[in-house]
Amino acid sequence: MGAASNSRATSPSGAITILGRSPATLAMLLESLRCQQPHSPPAVRVVANVVPDDPLRFDAPGISVTECDHESWAVDGRPGLASGVLCGVYRPAIKQAVVAFFRDRHGVKTDDYASCLHPTAVPASSATLGPGCQVEPLAAIAPHATLGEFVTVNRQASIGHHTHVGAFSTLNPGVNVAGHCDLGDGVTVGMGSNIVDGIRIGAGAVIGAGALVTRDVPAGALVMGVPARVREQGS
């Protein structure tokens, strides 16, 4: 689902399986799937690793959604796995936990995941996406940018040329990351933040909403403000 990618594209004609159950993420994924196939929306199976307790809706018009627990999915022969499953959660730590759960309990490998790009997303032909990425409406990925596995790029976010975004990172809506940046694994970039050219951000760092990052950020740090300053330092 999408351009230049190292990950498997899910079948446009078969049922689609999503592992993990975050209503916000599911709503975004289903809308992307609906827009990709407006005349024949896919059937979607959501497999929960824990008993869901969130009442929020996540359905999309025309898409048939069924839910099951992970044990029932395994008993049924893990349907959908051969076509490439999608990751249905959002925050970096939760993505890591869900991917580890289905790997350890059900043998789902990283390469079994597909990526999902909204039709209005604009990835350059030379950009590279790892397995399990999610790219939302009007997001832009510049030439020679690379996204590690399970990266989420929310709506209207942009990633500059020759920038690398590490595995499991999440870029919230309206984020702008300039060129030649290097974001470590599990980084969270808050809504509307701006990261200038050539910045390195350590693994697990959190960039507060609206921040302007003009200097490197240590691993595990929380930075906020304009310009951004370290508010908490990771251990």
Side-chain angles (χ1 to χ4, degrees), residues 112-123:
D112 290 326
Y113 287 86
S115 289
C116 185
L117 280 68
H118 191 276
T120 63
V122 187

Side-chain angles (χ1 to χ4, degrees), residues 82-150:
S83 299
V85 295
L86 299 175
C87 180
V89 291
Y90 188 76
R91 291 188 293 170
I94 304 300
K95 285 189 279 191
Q96 290 172 312
V98 168
V99 168
F101 176 89
F102 282 101
R103 180 194 64 221
D104 297 342
R105 291 288 296 272
H106 300 293
V108 183
K109 303 182 296 296
T110 295
D111 287 343
D112 290 326
Y113 287 86
S115 289
C116 185
L117 280 68
H118 191 276
T120 63
V122 187
S125 60
S126 58
T128 303
L129 279 64
C133 289
Q134 179 180 352
V135 184
E136 287 303 306
L138 303 177
I141 304 173
H144 303 291
T146 60
L147 275 59
E149 60 209 39
F150 305 106

Side-chain angles (χ1 to χ4, degrees), residues 129-174:
L129 279 64
C133 289
Q134 179 180 352
V135 184
E136 287 303 306
L138 303 177
I141 304 173
H144 303 291
T146 60
L147 275 59
E149 60 209 39
F150 305 106
V151 170
T152 303
V153 184
N154 213 319
R155 62 188 182 276
Q156 295 185 310
S158 66
I159 299 171
H161 63 93
H162 298 90
T163 282
H164 171 72
V165 182
F168 296 100
S169 293
T170 293
L171 279 60
N172 282 286

Side-chain angles (χ1 to χ4, degrees), residues 20-21 47-53 67-70 89 98 101-102:
R21 189 190 184 281
V47 182
N49 57 309
V50 295
V51 177
D53 60 1
E67 296 190 64
C68 67
D69 61 80
H70 66 97
V89 291
V98 168
F101 176 89
F102 282 101

Side-chain angles (χ1 to χ4, degrees), residues 168-186:
F168 296 100
S169 293
T170 293
L171 279 60
N172 282 286
V175 164
N176 291 294
V177 183
H180 298 288
C181 292
D182 188 350
L183 281 61
D185 293 350

Side-chain angles (χ1 to χ4, degrees), residues 202-213:
V206 177
I207 312 302
L212 173 61
V213 182

